[in-house]
Amino acid sequence: MENKVFEDIVHLLQGADWLYNYPMTQVFTRNIFTHMPVEWQKALTDLPLDVLNGLPQCLTQDQWPSSLKVFLQECQRLSCLSPDLGPQTSGGSRRGSSSSNVSGSSSSSSSSSNLQIPQELTYGLTVKKKHEITTLLSIVKEMLDLTGSKHILDIGSGKGYIDSCIHRILHAQVLGVEGNCKLMRSAEKHHWKLYGRCRGITFLNWYLSDNTETLCRAEQLVSYLTELDTTCSCQTSPKRGTSSAKVASKTVSSSNIDGRESKSSNHECSDSPDSFTDSESSMGNGSVCSENRCVLLGLHACADLSPIIIKVFRDCVQASSLVLLSCCYHKMSLRPKAADDPASDKQESQCKGSDDTEGHEGLTLRKLRRRCVRKSGFEDFSEYKRNIFDNYEFQKTGSDGTPMESVPNSESTLNMNEDKILERNTHISATLDTCFENHKHYFPLIEPLTGLQLALQPVIEILVQMDRLIYLKECGFSRVWLEKVFDAEVSPRNIALLAVR
Ligand SMILES: C[S@@+](CC[C@H](N)C(=O)[O-])C[C@H]1O[C@@H](n2cnc3c(N)ncnc32)[C@H](O)[C@@H]1O
């Protein structure tokens, strides 16, 4: 069944290649609309607003051609989680009951046992964030109970809102790892301001990379984390004002994990996040006592961070379980599969033969002026072009649309004399005019095209999630499942990858 859904999605995507497999800025240069079936073009031109808005939800109209209706129905069907991807019910779900809801539109049954967040921890939280935290607290609690773990490693912890809640409510020892130093500091301040410094919660500035060094260090970090004293030293009553002076007796910093990762200066703190005393790190061995294990958490782990977290889970025997919610799939790097990439063999075999590597060299725009006036509408195309020439510089791009770093200085507008700039702009302007004339009759189809892409987006995201699930199964993990954890109305990207070692 799992394989059938996978195959159906791949089949759908292969047939709809023209709809998604290119950068949006190349819609016209790649003549994308010529790939849209003519009967679709007729049906989708001049749609009333409510019908247009229904496209992302796969809502169809009776009079539409059957191929379009079938496509949207397939998008609808395949964007739902099939029950066999959910928690296994032999002996119940992960919680030991059979009350799982994997494909329903509402959040999972865990929400029925939502834990309450103390009021002081809800300040500044959006409704979405509060809902996510409340729901995840239940899931994390169940993972802790199920595995006997007492520690949480939150990777990509951001401002650490959920970490404060986990520590405060579930009394687990939490380590939040965050690649952005400002966010890491903000997380520290947030917790200290409320409860003072505490040895039970730590934030570490570390940008994880996709390499073996990161995996080794993550393993050491988990080993170290799980040996820490779990006694909470938070001030019992919420504190407003400056942080407490009570400093952890033994906790974690980037300086006491063996070795140092080469970090981008954008991400690295100039000074160490905290001063800690114990610099020993000890590796976990094969048999791990449950207390020495941790739950691995990634909430909105963006782009390539999710596969990295999966690799950490795969390799780190002390990671008892995984709770992973991914986001920013469109920012994932496109590169050939490495030997240990979390992409299943299944995906590889399905995707062989589909070639999307056709190269195009083109131009992109780089903002020239800092305060360029942004107009929401332009009277005509020449006004639009004028704005572009006044405020942006054209740069050469490679086949993937990213600017070429090695554009010779002589070709940069900044180093051209006026005649040269005029000559170049005249050429670009004429090319743009031709492009405009050739394609303007397709303009009414731009929004429907976007609507169709949005209908397909959840299907692609499910495919990525399934691929990760199958990958972990191929690695020998049997207790892995996907689950809708949030209310889709509140937090639409709501499918978690859950695993127990
Ligand atoms: C979308 S935010 C989510 C933050 C937090 N978990 C939440 O839900 O509020 C993703 C976070 O992951 C961090 N991040 C992304 N890639 C990372 C990496 N490779 N190593 C460490 N942190 C990373 C980002 O800086 C960002 O704060």
Side-chain angles (χ1 to χ4, degrees):
M1 177 70 173
E2 173 185 292
N3 287 351
K4 172 83 176 84
V5 175
F6 199 96
E7 280 166 24
D8 287 353
I9 294 180
V10 172
H11 183 71
L12 180 75
L13 293 179
Q14 281 173 343
D17 196 47
W18 60 272
L19 190 51
Y20 63 89
N21 208 1
Y22 51 87
M24 269 311 271
T25 46
Q26 294 176 10
V27 168
F28 294 122
T29 51
R30 289 191 182 212
N31 284 317
I32 294 306
F33 287 111
T34 59
H35 300 278
M36 187 188 271
V38 177
E39 66 272 21
W40 290 28
Q41 295 184 23
K42 283 192 189 135
L44 296 173
T45 303
D46 294 330
L47 291 181
L49 196 60
D50 58 328
V51 178
L52 184 66
N53 286 340
L55 269 181
Q57 279 103 51
C58 306
L59 301 179
T60 58
Q61 301 292 305
D62 289 344
Q63 70 278 18
W64 282 358
S66 56
S67 59
L68 176 56
K69 287 196 275 189
V70 167
F71 171 77
L72 288 168
Q73 281 154 6
E74 278 297 89
C75 287
Q76 175 87 308
R77 178 177 76 88
L78 296 170
S79 60
C80 295
L81 269 185
S82 62
D84 62 313
L85 298 173
Q88 300 307 301
T89 50
S90 56
S93 68
R94 63 169 193 273
R95 329 167 177 83
S97 77
S98 57
S99 57
S100 60
N101 171 14
V102 286
S103 51
S105 57
S106 62
S107 60
S108 82
S109 56
S110 57
S111 59
S112 59
S113 57
N114 279 341
L115 297 154
Q116 287 304 310
I117 311 179
Q119 213 190 352
E120 70 269 13
L121 280 169
T122 63
Y123 291 131
L125 292 187
T126 59
V127 172
K128 175 171 175 279
K129 191 83 223 124
K130 197 173 158 194
H131 169 68
E132 290 171 353
I133 291 178
T134 312
T135 311
L136 277 187
L137 273 178
S138 301
I139 293 172
V140 169
K141 178 176 183 331
E142 291 163 24
M143 287 299 202
L144 289 168
D145 292 347
L146 188 70
T147 60
S149 312
K150 294 198 171 346
H151 303 82
I152 305 283
L153 176 60
D154 179 13
I155 303 183
S157 51
K159 292 188 175 178
Y161 291 123
I162 193 166
D163 300 322
S164 289
C165 293
I166 290 173
H167 177 63
R168 188 75 186 146
I169 299 161
L170 305 181
H171 313 293
Q173 170 114 27
V174 184
L175 173 59
V177 173
E178 169 53 50
N180 180 317
C181 184
K182 275 193 186 156
L183 291 177
M184 186 280 288
R185 289 272 189 229
S186 164
E188 272 181 344
K189 271 195 198 144
H190 174 72
H191 191 85
W192 292 352
K193 203 168 159 188
L194 289 170
Y195 303 119
R197 291 192 190 204
C198 168
R199 66 175 70 101
I201 182 163
T202 312
F203 295 98
L204 173 71
N205 177 226
W206 179 29
Y207 191 84
L208 285 82
S209 304
D210 190 2
N211 57 29
T212 42
E213 195 195 345
T214 284
L215 297 178
C216 283
R217 295 186 68 221
E219 211 170 348
Q220 290 171 339
L221 188 60
V222 169
S223 174
Y224 189 72
L225 166 73
T226 53
E227 284 181 5
L228 293 177
D229 177 3
T230 54
T231 322
C232 173
S233 55
C234 284
Q235 295 169 358
T236 44
S237 57
K239 180 178 185 294
R240 305 217 143 261
T242 53
S243 60
S244 153
K246 199 167 187 181
V247 181
S249 62
K250 179 189 180 188
T251 178
V252 192
S253 79
S254 49
S255 56
N256 58 17
I257 310 165
D258 267 350
R260 288 199 73 86
E261 178 97 343
S262 54
K263 291 182 244 173
S264 133
S265 53
N266 283 347
H267 298 286
E268 193 173 11
C269 278
S270 53
D271 51 348
S272 134
D274 209 334
S275 54
F276 303 110
T277 52
D278 192 333
S279 63
E280 290 295 307
S281 82
S282 55
M283 294 293 297
N285 54 31
S287 66
V288 184
C289 138
S290 65
E291 288 210 356
N292 288 342
R293 304 204 298 169
C294 79
V295 175
L296 218 57
L297 172 66
L299 173 54
H300 301 311
C302 42
D304 293 333
L305 183 58
S306 284
I308 296 175
I309 294 175
I310 290 172
K311 286 183 189 176
V312 171
F313 176 68
R314 179 196 64 190
D315 290 358
C316 183
V317 286
Q318 284 178 275
S320 64
S321 47
L322 172 72
V323 178
L324 179 64
L325 282 120
S326 305
C327 70
C328 303
Y329 296 88
H330 60 291
K331 291 188 187 162
M332 283 166 64
S333 48
L334 291 169
R335 59 187 164 75
K337 184 185 174 222
D340 73 335
D341 260 0
S344 62
D345 292 342
K346 171 114 200 113
Q347 187 220 48
E348 262 231 301
S349 63
Q350 293 279 331
C351 296
K352 270 199 180 121
S354 67
D355 174 29
D356 60 303
T357 50
E358 188 192 341
H360 274 262
E361 203 178 285
L363 288 171
T364 188
L365 292 171
R366 188 172 68 88
K367 203 185 259 187
L368 204 56
R369 309 216 167 140
R370 283 200 129 204
R371 247 176 264 143
C372 117
V373 182
R374 275 195 130 183
K375 288 190 79 172
S376 53
F378 296 96
E379 294 289 309
D380 57 28
F381 191 59
S382 19
E383 195 190 338
Y384 174 79
K385 274 193 311 180
R386 206 168 30 252
N387 174 59
I388 297 291
F389 284 119
D390 285 352
N391 295 302
Y392 292 85
E393 185 188 27
F394 286 91
Q395 275 191 322
K396 280 198 170 170
T397 56
S399 56
D400 62 351
T402 50
M404 283 176 165
E405 280 166 22
S406 56
V407 178
N409 267 352
S410 57
E411 288 191 29
S412 163
T413 314
L414 299 173
N415 294 313
M416 286 180 180
N417 64 33
E418 283 198 359
D419 286 349
K420 197 92 180 120
I421 293 175
L422 192 66
E423 186 190 324
R424 185 175 137 160
N425 285 0
T426 307
H427 172 68
I428 292 173
S429 175
T431 311
L432 287 174
D433 282 339
T434 310
C435 187
F436 177 78
E437 285 303 321
N438 288 346
H439 298 287
K440 67 181 178 194
H441 58 289
Y442 285 129
F443 285 10
L445 285 171
I446 292 176
E447 282 177 325
L449 179 81
T450 314
L452 292 173
Q453 289 175 332
L454 288 171
L456 199 56
Q457 182 180 325
V459 181
I460 296 175
E461 293 187 5
I462 288 260
L463 181 78
V464 176
Q465 300 254 38
M466 281 181 69
D467 179 49
R468 291 171 178 174
L469 175 140
I470 294 170
Y471 173 77
L472 281 173
K473 286 192 172 173
E474 285 174 357
C475 289
F477 294 90
S478 54
R479 287 192 288 172
V480 191
W481 68 98
L482 295 176
E483 184 167 340
K484 271 192 180 168
V485 289
F486 303 140
D487 183 339
E489 301 273 313
V490 186
S491 183
R493 198 163 264 143
N494 61 357
I495 297 175
L497 174 64
L498 300 156
V500 177
R501 186 175 293 276

